Amino acid sequence: MKRKTRERHVTVEEFEEFYAQAVARLTGQLYVMTGDLQEAQDVVQEAFVKAWVRRGRLEREGQPEAWIRTVAWRLAVSRWRFRRRSADAWGLGSGRSPAHVEPPGPDHVALVAALRELPAQQRRTLTLHYLCDLTVEQIAGETGLSTSTIKTHLVRGRAALAYRLQDPRIEEARDV
């Protein structure tokens, strides 16, 4: 006979406090992973809705922020795949132009361009390590990849960014 375990549900106040503390950080992390602020905001909000539904299990598992980040990432990937399949099916390009915003600075443009050139898994691994401050083992646990694969992504990602972000003025100064 199975015993029913009584789940301790997080109170509304506790969940609101957790949300207030984590939403900006998670949105920033997903923005770096996806390169799209609106998408990051949407998937983080949707992940929080899913977290509310399973708040008893999240409390028991003890890592609600990691769970929300993983769910948000998976939602972003699913949405990207859906849009890609839809665009392919209808023969459409991206088509939409964003609302007017102030242009980013040159350093921001260079970093975003360099990050976009990285494979998605390297970009995600770098984000989890440097922005989320997760260890190699924590990243492995969250992504399901081995620690050696995580280390490989970090080494290759750092090397690729270093190469892409070289300042030509520094190279010129070295040659003189």
Side-chain angles (χ1 to χ4, degrees), residues 1 7 13 23 28 30 40 43 52 58 61-62 83 90-91 103 107 122 129 142 156 162 175:
M1 182 173 185
E7 291 183 354
E13 293 79 17
V23 69
L30 267 292
V43 295
W52 173 255
L58 283 177
E61 293 167 5
R83 283 192 301 269
W90 291 99
D107 291 341
Q122 280 182 9
H129 187 67
E142 191 167 315
R156 289 180 181 168
D175 293 340

Side-chain angles (χ1 to χ4, degrees), residues 52-157:
W52 173 255
V53 173
R54 62 174 288 142
R55 63 192 181 280
R57 284 184 279 172
L58 283 177
E59 181 68 23
R60 257 196 339 268
E61 293 167 5
Q63 293 187 324
E65 193 167 326
W67 186 89
I68 290 171
R69 184 174 37 249
T70 300
V71 168
W73 170 253
R74 289 178 181 161
L75 288 167
V77 169
S78 293
R79 288 174 166 206
W80 178 83
R81 287 179 180 152
F82 175 77
R83 283 192 301 269
R84 178 69 185 240
R85 284 191 307 267
S86 296
D88 288 347
W90 291 99
L92 304 173
S94 61
R96 292 192 314 171
S97 61
H100 176 72
V101 294
E102 290 300 315
D107 291 341
H108 180 86
V109 170
L111 179 59
V112 169
L115 284 167
R116 284 187 175 156
E117 290 179 22
L118 296 179
Q121 198 58 49
Q122 280 182 9
R123 187 172 57 243
R124 182 179 183 204
T125 302
L126 288 168
T127 301
L128 291 172
H129 187 67
Y130 290 105
L131 288 181
C132 304
D133 202 27
L134 297 183
T135 66
V136 169
E137 292 76 20
Q138 289 170 320
I139 297 169
E142 191 167 315
T143 61
L145 300 172
S146 70
T147 56
S148 61
T149 301
I150 297 301
K151 290 176 185 178
T152 300
H153 284 314
L154 288 172
V155 168
R156 289 180 181 168

Side-chain angles (χ1 to χ4, degrees), residues 24-70:
R25 181 172 49 250
L26 287 165
T27 301
Q29 294 163 1
L30 267 292
Y31 172 47
V32 173
M33 289 182 200
T34 64
D36 183 335
L37 180 58
Q38 183 65 45
E39 184 70 8
Q41 291 169 334
D42 289 349
V43 295
V44 168
Q45 289 300 318
E46 192 171 338
F48 267 104
V49 169
K50 291 177 182 290
W52 173 255
V53 173
R54 62 174 288 142
R55 63 192 181 280
R57 284 184 279 172
L58 283 177
E59 181 68 23
R60 257 196 339 268
E61 293 167 5
Q63 293 187 324
E65 193 167 326
W67 186 89
I68 290 171
R69 184 174 37 249
T70 300

